[in-house]
Amino acid sequence: MSERRGEGIRVALIPRTAEHVRIYWKRIQDEEIRKRIPLQSLSLEETLAQFEASRRPGAGSFGMCIEADGVYVGDIWCYGIHGDDEKTAMLSFLIFEKSLWGKGAGSEAARLFCQEVLSRYGIRRLGAFTYAENIGSLKALEKAGFLEKERFLEEGKLSVYLEWQKPSADLR
């Protein structure tokens, strides 16, 4: 478990279980949440199957649960993990506990997760997309060390692509 404090909130990353996936799936059915982040429309069974696939050796994705002050409040994951020389992946996170939006839980979780995938997979670069109108997500990624690289229209919405790179002092 990784842990940090952000704006008075103790943020920790913990392993995901099938029960977490069930809670997550139910919480992301919320219309307000679905407007803020591009999410696939999957059934609970499909979501559980993706979770099980992520637990297999050599899986191209990895995720953890976000806890704030000991309460499960969201998920963070990476996908498209490349084990080759590129050492890249894409990051996504979602805080489904709306009372924590804008309170620093997302940025602290992203900071912790970047270090986790750096040590676990040797990831040197993480990319992330967010809608430009999702200011909270954009600020959380920037506070976690992601830099904006590009803005573009996708399905009629202005989107932003950001990147995090392994700090140069850590490059070997």
Side-chain angles (χ1 to χ4, degrees):
M1 178 174 80
S2 302
E3 185 175 283
R4 250 179 114 133
R5 276 209 170 291
E7 298 184 32
I9 301 167
R10 184 181 48 83
V11 176
L13 300 182
I14 62 168
R16 293 177 86 209
T17 66
E19 185 56 30
H20 288 120
V21 174
R22 286 181 184 88
I23 294 166
Y24 174 84
W25 184 85
K26 186 174 181 177
R27 296 292 302 266
I28 67 167
Q29 302 313 304
D30 180 282
E31 181 104 8
E32 187 177 4
I33 290 172
R34 295 192 77 79
K35 284 193 298 188
R36 292 179 180 266
I37 184 169
L39 293 166
Q40 291 179 307
S41 292
L42 300 176
S43 68
L44 176 58
E45 293 74 24
E46 291 168 319
T47 304
L48 285 165
Q50 279 188 347
F51 163 69
E52 289 302 327
S54 75
R55 297 172 50 153
R56 294 189 192 112
S61 64
F62 168 72
M64 298 185 83
C65 294
I66 303 168
E67 281 190 344
D69 293 332
V71 177
Y72 173 45
V73 298
D75 282 12
I76 189 162
W77 60 97
C78 61
Y79 57 96
I81 298 171
H82 296 290
D84 57 13
D85 289 340
E86 289 286 315
K87 299 287 187 192
T88 63
M90 296 298 295
L91 174 120
S92 287
F93 74 94
L94 187 133
I95 304 291
F96 54 68
E97 185 56 52
K98 295 176 192 174
S99 66
L100 291 176
W101 289 357
K103 305 282 190 217
S107 59
E108 288 304 318
R111 283 185 190 127
L112 289 168
F113 194 75
C114 287
Q115 294 309 309
E116 179 70 28
V117 297
L118 176 64
S119 67
R120 185 180 289 251
Y121 298 102
I123 298 294
R124 293 183 181 147
R125 188 174 70 231
L126 283 168
F129 291 101
T130 188
Y131 292 136
E133 66 190 33
N134 189 346
I135 302 300
S137 181
L138 196 55
K139 285 183 178 180
L141 288 165
E142 289 172 343
K143 284 172 72 175
F146 283 74
L147 301 174
E148 184 176 323
K149 296 293 185 181
E150 179 182 4
R151 287 182 179 241
F152 57 93
L153 278 178
E154 183 176 34
E155 296 180 14
K157 282 195 151 198
L158 185 60
S159 295
V160 181
Y161 173 71
L162 303 99
E163 276 186 358
W164 172 89
Q165 291 196 17
K166 178 181 177 179
S168 58
D170 292 338
L171 291 174
R172 292 178 175 85

